[in-house]
Amino acid sequence: MLTKRIIPCLDIKDGRVVKGVNFVSLRDAGDPVECAKQYNMAGADELVFLDITATLEARDTVVDLARRVADEVFIPFTIGGGIRTTQDIRDILNAGADKVSLNSAAVKNPQFVKEASEMFGAQCIVVAIDVKSREDRSKFPSGYEVVIAGGTKPTGIDALWWAKEVVRLGAGEILLTSMDKDGTKSGFDNGITSLIADNVNVPVIASGGAGSMDDFYDGIVDGKADAVLAASLFHFGEIAISDLKEYLSERGIPVRKISDELNMWAHMKKNSDGLVPAICQDYENGEVLMMAYMNYEAFDLTCRTGYMHYFSRSRGTLWKKGETSGHFQRVVESYIDCDNDTLLYKIDQTGAACHTGNRTCFYRKINDWKENI
């Protein structure tokens, strides 16, 4: 069995993350970029952003959102909502998104899927299919009808037929949402999910209805989903992604494991800018050399490369110590303090640690500091 993905979905309305039941009674869940940063650090495999009012209100595509998210996260993400042209797709992908999600536009013009796939590659094109159950099997053999515009408009199209058709046209993935289940926490609709998964040769993401860890397991096993997506459970802290992955792994579902370092960072206390102070100490003699700040990217690069990286508050950029001076800092040991708000690195320092040329930044005594201004 291939590794299964856990995907938080961020429904966007008026620039905010919202969540409700059946796409109504919406509740504010935060700033989308801040939410994305938290999910990136929490171990999510991917993110999906859907502007749930873009089609209804004929808004422009969320290019700015894609650009801001790309600046902050390092996992794949998909943008959907109000995408009507190949130029929309080009703008969103150029802004940093990995995929786009087509829904209403695909139903209204199926050739748009084919055109988009041929132009940008099937791997970039997700077709979102929203469905509602129907009793008239003569009209809807699968028992489900495709609906659009946030579930407000029926299309008369059978869900299974449409799934096969969009794959034939070039869709690389299907995001299947049960509108009957959305926000109800009663479990995924595994019937329609498995039916479609059995009949297409692209990944199917199950969406709508997750309420417990068991539901995610059932969506993968019974629903045969390649990925499981949820919103409010993650947004409001009811289920932690790390706990969910541990649960699925224990039940035999292969998932991408969260590194100990990433898990630790997620539990650290950061300042208002999301930064953590990092103190550097000479490994040989214990001398304190300097203190600077880390964001997640600096912390991650330090863990992966073994050399100190920091985030400059004045310049607003990531930097590697020694990149211009040659005074690199190789990590020998690393520690976290008892309050989970400060890091200590014991390092092998090449040359001076301080930009003044002094071995340590702490070369002035308090009583002498005025003499050195």
Side-chain angles (χ1 to χ4, degrees):
M1 186 186 295
L2 296 176
T3 300
K4 302 301 181 180
R5 291 168 289 153
I6 308 299
I7 305 177
C9 180
L10 297 93
D11 295 331
I12 310 297
K13 183 178 188 295
D14 300 326
R16 300 287 292 178
V17 179
V18 296
K19 191 56 193 167
V21 178
N22 306 129
F23 279 41
V24 296
S25 302
L26 300 177
R27 174 184 175 191
D28 188 276
D31 175 74
V33 178
E34 288 303 313
C35 289
K37 288 165 62 177
Q38 292 302 314
Y39 284 132
N40 182 74
M41 292 186 292
D45 297 300
E46 295 184 20
L47 296 171
V48 170
F49 295 86
L50 298 177
D51 191 329
I52 62 175
T53 54
T55 301
L56 286 172
E57 300 175 6
R59 287 212 222 110
D60 291 334
T61 52
V62 283
V63 175
D64 182 60
L65 173 63
R67 184 175 296 109
R68 291 189 296 128
V69 171
D71 286 340
E72 299 290 347
V73 308
F74 315 105
I75 55 177
F77 68 93
T78 299
I79 293 277
I83 298 173
R84 296 176 290 275
T85 68
T86 55
Q87 187 59 49
D88 290 339
I89 297 175
R90 187 184 307 280
D91 291 342
I92 290 172
L93 295 178
N94 285 343
D98 298 274
K99 310 173 194 176
V100 295
S101 173
L102 309 179
N103 191 332
S104 298
V107 172
K108 294 174 182 177
N109 177 19
Q111 288 303 307
F112 183 36
V113 178
K114 185 174 189 292
E115 183 182 1
S117 180
E118 290 176 348
M119 188 172 295
F120 303 105
Q123 77 283 353
C124 294
I125 308 303
V126 179
V127 172
I129 303 178
D130 299 338
V131 300
K132 285 188 176 181
S133 61
R134 300 293 187 234
E135 294 183 0
D136 187 354
R137 290 297 184 110
S138 63
K139 189 173 182 181
F140 304 104
S142 69
Y144 293 82
E145 179 184 9
V146 175
V147 293
I148 59 172
T152 62
K153 294 183 180 179
T155 65
I157 300 172
D158 179 71
L160 178 58
W161 179 87
W162 180 236
K164 291 179 178 179
E165 179 66 4
V166 296
V167 171
R168 184 187 70 80
L169 291 168
E173 194 165 26
I174 289 174
L175 170 54
L176 180 67
T177 300
S178 166
M179 300 304 296
D180 303 305
K181 292 277 195 172
D182 179 69
T184 65
K185 298 183 181 180
S186 59
F188 295 108
D189 191 329
N190 296 321
I192 186 59
T193 306
S194 61
L195 180 63
I196 289 178
D198 281 338
N199 283 276
V200 298
N201 60 356
V202 300
V204 175
I205 304 170
S207 169
S212 69
M213 292 192 189
D214 285 341
D215 292 336
F216 290 94
Y217 176 85
D218 293 340
I220 292 169
V221 175
D222 298 333
K224 303 178 182 178
D226 297 274
V228 279
L229 176 148
S232 59
L233 285 181
F234 298 143
H235 298 340
F236 303 121
E238 296 174 51
I239 292 179
I241 291 176
S242 58
D243 293 340
L244 176 58
K245 286 196 168 186
E246 186 65 29
Y247 168 83
L248 292 174
S249 180
E250 289 177 353
R251 295 198 64 179
I253 303 297
V255 293
R256 182 179 65 88
K257 292 297 182 69
I258 303 171
S259 69
D260 290 340
E261 292 86 359
L262 178 61
N263 199 22
M264 187 198 79
W265 180 267
H267 288 85
M268 287 202 70
K269 300 172 186 174
K270 293 96 177 171
N271 67 18
S272 59
D273 295 322
L275 304 177
V276 172
I279 299 169
C280 282
Q281 183 180 27
D282 189 287
Y283 176 71
E284 293 293 337
N285 59 27
E287 183 180 23
V288 176
L289 299 175
M290 63 175 287
M291 190 282 286
Y293 288 88
M294 286 183 162
N295 61 2
Y296 168 70
E297 187 178 8
F299 174 75
D300 181 54
L301 282 170
T302 299
C303 290
R304 289 194 285 112
T305 66
Y307 285 87
M308 295 301 299
H309 290 71
Y310 303 100
F311 181 81
S312 170
R313 294 176 299 167
S314 60
R315 300 191 304 273
T317 58
L318 185 76
W319 60 286
K320 178 183 179 181
K321 179 65 176 176
E323 198 163 32
T324 56
S325 66
H327 297 167
F328 297 102
Q329 296 175 334
R330 183 178 65 84
V331 177
V332 180
E333 294 177 350
S334 54
Y335 300 84
I336 183 171
D337 80 323
C338 58
D339 292 322
N340 289 354
D341 61 7
T342 306
L343 296 168
L344 171 65
Y345 289 91
K346 294 188 177 183
I347 63 169
D348 177 18
Q349 174 72 52
T350 300
C354 184
H355 73 283
T356 63
N358 287 281
R359 170 71 177 172
T360 172
C361 292
F362 300 95
Y363 60 88
R364 299 179 297 171
K365 292 182 179 180
I366 291 177
N367 291 339
D368 300 332
W369 73 273
K370 287 185 179 179
E371 300 174 6
N372 296 289
I373 294 178

